[in-house]
Structure formats: structure tokens, C-alpha cells
Amino acid sequence: MKRIIITAAITMVMAVMCRAEAKIMLNSNIVKEGGVVKAVLYSNKPFSGSEVKFMGEKYPVFFRSYDKAAKEFTFLVLVPVPLETVGVKKLHIRYMMNGREYEHTEKIKVKKISAGRSDIQTDGKRAALGVNFGPENKIIKKRQEKRTSLKFDLPFIKPAEGEITSAFGKKRTYDGGSYGSTHKGVDIANKMGTKVAAANHGKVVEAATMKGHGVTVIIDHGGGLYSLYFHLKGVYVKKGVDVKKGDIIATMGSTGVSTGPHLHWQMNLFGVPVSPMDFLTMM
Ligand SMILES: [Zn+2]
């Protein structure tokens, strides 16, 4: 009996030590449009040639940590689900380990969100400035092209205190329908000068004044994840500096095309706007 137990124990230890495939833990197989698919990969050997495919796009796999005691590598996969996506999609994870190729497929069910719609009165300001958003968005996109190693710790924090006045994914028209768009971040409204903190650790890749987005800060959190802060008043950080989660980076303002003091907080994953609020509960 004792021998059987010992044999069983050794077999279990061997199974864990020689686990051929990586263990893949998915946050959930059900995600809302504009959400994030999160997978954590555990293995006793480093990977090579890892790749994730989702909706025709390829995404990298990022090294997260190595547990010396458990001799275990942890990798993180974050994949954006664009807005206006619904239905069942396949997530393919491929990696090389010990010279062998492994592929793992998960079905992801994408549900619709209903963030509402509204018309915003800007007295023609939005339409007049519309032409300026193109070059601004080009600069903003360029700042988010780098794929740096992971710097963030989950979860993220809400960068400012205040009321959410406009949800992510809200359909908007301006001045009675002269211009339409979908809200790509969340608006947090509070008094002028309210402190704005870095939502997580990272590097400031932009701190500039723009005509449409107003005073803007962009932070690179690594792993293709960036946080954007628009319509600020004062900025306390410069391009190139490292920030910690909770560091005060700016104050709330109403610069650019804005109808009152608020922070537009946006999270972009590989350039795709995803729901910022989801990062507050992501572990
Ligand atoms: Zn906004």
C-alpha cells in the first residue's frame, strides 16, 4: 500500500516536472466587444516562436516571470477584441518547446455591449476641429508602435476621482448629427485641477498639447498596452520618464475639444481601444 502511494506520488511529481505541454489559463471564454482576452501560460521550459492569432491578427506572447522554486516560466497573452465584434471567434496559441510545436485553440464568445448614445453640443467646434484629429491621431498612433517588455502590475487603478460621465463604446453625434463617432475611452468628470495619476507603471512616451485632444499624456505599460490621458490642464511629467502606478502625472482640465473639466482615459492594446474599466478588475 505504502509502495503504491510512493509510486503514485513520484508519478505525480514526474508528471508535473516533465509536463510536456504548457498549462494555459484563460480569464474567461466569454468577453464583451471592446474587451480583452487574457491568457496566462505556464511551462517548465522557455518557449520560442510563440504566436497568438485572433480574428486574422497576430499577437506576441510576453514573458512575465520565472519562479525559481517551482522552476516555472509564466507568459502573458493579452488580445484586444475590437468594438463592433460579436459572435464566436477562435483564439489560436502556438509555441515551440523542446523543438516541438504545440498549438492550442480556444473558442471565445464575444457579446454585445450597450453603452448608449448621445448628441453633444459643441457649437460647431467639433466639426471645425475635425480636420485636426487626423494628424494628431497619426502622432498618437506612432507613439504606440513599440512593443516593450511588461512593466505593469495587475490590476490597474482608476486614474482620477470623479463621476463617469461617458462610457466606453458610447455612440456619439455632435451638434445634431453633423459628425458621428464611438467613444473610445471613459470620461471621468470632476473639478478643474483634480489630480490625475498614472493608471500603472510605465514610460511616458508623449506629453504634448494638441488642438483636438488638448493636453495629452501617453504611457507605455509594455506588452503592447498604452494608457492615454486627454484634455489635461497641467502636466508634471516629461516624455521619456518612468512612472509608477499612482504617481501624479497631471491635473484635470478642459483643453482641446471639451465641454467641461473631465479626463478622457483611454486604454489601447496593440493600437485597439479596449474598455479601460475592465483593467480595474483584471487580476
Ligand atoms: Zn472622452
Side-chain angles (χ1 to χ4, degrees):
M1 187 61 188
K2 207 173 175 185
R3 197 174 182 152
I4 295 169
I5 293 167
I6 292 168
T7 311
I10 290 171
T11 310
M12 272 172 71
V13 168
M14 291 290 283
V16 170
M17 282 175 71
C18 308
R19 196 173 63 215
E21 285 180 59
K23 189 170 83 183
I24 297 173
M25 302 278 283
L26 212 70
N27 238 20
S28 172
N29 289 74
I30 303 167
V31 187
K32 285 178 184 166
E33 57 169 313
V36 172
V37 176
K38 177 182 168 251
V40 180
L41 283 63
Y42 302 90
S43 79
N44 348 93
K45 292 266 161 35
F47 292 165
S48 62
S50 319
E51 176 183 276
V52 178
K53 263 197 224 164
F54 186 69
M55 292 178 65
E57 295 287 330
K58 285 181 186 175
Y59 298 99
V61 173
F62 288 91
F63 168 76
R64 194 185 202 184
S65 61
Y66 177 67
D67 184 335
K68 249 183 176 173
K71 291 193 172 72
E72 188 171 62
F73 292 88
T74 307
F75 299 87
L76 182 70
V77 170
L78 290 180
V79 172
V81 180
L83 282 163
E84 322 289 339
T85 302
V86 277
V88 177
K89 310 283 171 194
K90 276 182 184 164
L91 177 82
H92 301 280
I93 301 173
R94 190 188 294 165
Y95 57 93
M96 291 280 291
M97 207 165 66
N98 287 338
R100 238 191 92 180
E101 194 180 75
Y102 296 89
E103 193 167 328
H104 182 91
T105 303
E106 290 273 353
K107 272 187 189 167
I108 308 292
K109 191 179 175 191
V110 184
K111 295 204 303 192
K112 221 179 152 47
I113 56 165
S114 49
R117 51 179 71 238
S118 70
D119 186 75
I120 299 156
Q121 290 300 316
T122 71
D123 300 322
K125 228 171 125 188
R126 180 65 174 84
L129 276 164
V131 68
N132 294 313
F133 279 90
E136 281 183 21
N137 287 337
K138 254 188 195 169
I139 294 167
I140 287 168
K141 194 180 164 203
K142 211 169 161 45
R143 296 293 177 265
Q144 299 171 64
E145 279 171 354
K146 276 195 185 158
R147 301 289 169 252
T148 61
S149 58
L150 302 182
K151 294 173 191 72
F152 61 86
D153 277 342
L154 293 171
F156 277 63
I157 59 162
K158 191 179 164 200
E161 279 182 34
E163 192 196 335
I164 306 282
T165 50
S166 184
F168 169 81
K170 192 171 186 174
K171 301 265 189 292
R172 288 169 155 184
T173 51
Y174 295 87
D175 302 319
S178 67
Y179 184 91
S181 69
T182 303
H183 196 215
K184 295 177 178 70
V186 286
D187 288 347
I188 305 170
N190 206 332
K191 275 183 272 180
M192 190 72 88
T194 298
K195 286 172 187 157
V196 174
N200 215 314
H201 316 311
K203 189 183 273 296
V204 176
V205 292
E206 188 58 276
T209 301
M210 298 184 182
K211 281 182 181 165
H213 299 299
V215 179
T216 297
V217 170
I218 303 174
I219 300 174
D220 175 10
H221 300 291
L225 190 58
Y226 291 80
S227 60
L228 295 79
Y229 311 81
F230 295 157
H231 311 300
L232 301 166
K233 188 172 174 248
V235 171
Y236 304 135
V237 288
K238 277 193 180 132
K239 198 169 155 179
V241 304
D242 291 322
V243 289
K244 289 274 169 216
K245 190 195 292 189
D247 280 356
I248 304 305
I249 55 164
T251 53
M252 196 179 281
S254 189
T255 54
V257 180
S258 167
T259 52
H262 80 284
L263 167 71
H264 171 98
W265 169 39
Q266 188 168 327
M267 292 294 293
N268 284 3
L269 181 57
F270 301 107
V272 179
V274 284
S275 173
M277 299 307 277
D278 288 6
F279 287 89
L280 304 183
T281 51
M282 191 186 287
M283 297 302 289

